[in-house]
Amino acid sequence: MAENDNFFEKVYEVAGQIPYGRVTSYGAIAKYLGAARSARMVGWAMNGAGNMEDVPAHRVVNKAGLLTGKHHFKGTNLMQQLLESEGIKVKANQIQDLDRYFWDPWKELGESD
DNA sequence: AGCCTGACTCGGC
DNA sequence: AGCCGAGCCAGGC
């Protein structure tokens, strides 16, 4: 039952398509789904995605590159370690050179609309 | 049924 | 350039 029609499922799909060593923002995903103002819902969806290995929630940060959701992971700094493990530089719970690692679904996947 | 909170973002000062 | 307030949608109490 892949309810791809659900907002949450869409979030999981997009997040699951984030390539290794890349990150994106909640707003980018939300906007890609047509809910630019519902970035919070993306984060809320991530709450359930955190249990999914197919959904690298650690690759999803806020627009500022801050690891806002790191507190929701198992460990205290698990999220940061995962990002650093992928070659992403993280400092003070914030991704360095975010522009270099940023992955925009709208740009990469393209809405083709 | 109503109010508060929350893994966000933007605009104004 | 940094801080504050408002907007947004959905879930929890």
Side-chain angles (χ1 to χ4, degrees), chain A residues 13-106:
Chain A
E13 276 194 70
V14 178
Q17 286 164 79
I18 302 175
Y20 184 93
R22 291 285 190 276
V23 293
T24 191
S25 66
Y26 306 94
I29 298 174
K31 194 170 187 176
Y32 179 70
L33 300 180
R37 308 300 177 194
S38 307
R40 288 179 176 162
M41 292 297 87
V42 178
W44 199 257
M46 285 284 119
N47 193 2
N51 195 24
M52 297 179 173
E53 295 181 7
D54 299 299
V55 184
H58 63 273
R59 291 183 189 154
V60 185
V61 296
N62 72 338
K63 200 101 193 316
L66 265 174
L67 281 58
T68 49
K70 69 165 292 181
H71 197 213
H72 290 253
F73 281 76
K74 294 181 181 179
T76 48
N77 57 335
L78 175 61
M79 188 176 186
Q80 179 173 332
Q81 290 179 58
L82 288 169
L83 291 169
E84 292 182 313
S85 185
E86 297 192 357
I88 299 174
K89 298 185 182 69
V90 182
K91 197 73 172 184
N93 301 339
Q94 184 172 18
I95 295 178
Q96 306 302 292
D97 302 300
L98 177 63
D99 183 64
R100 192 171 89 176
Y101 305 112
F102 198 79
W103 178 83
D104 190 343
W106 209 294

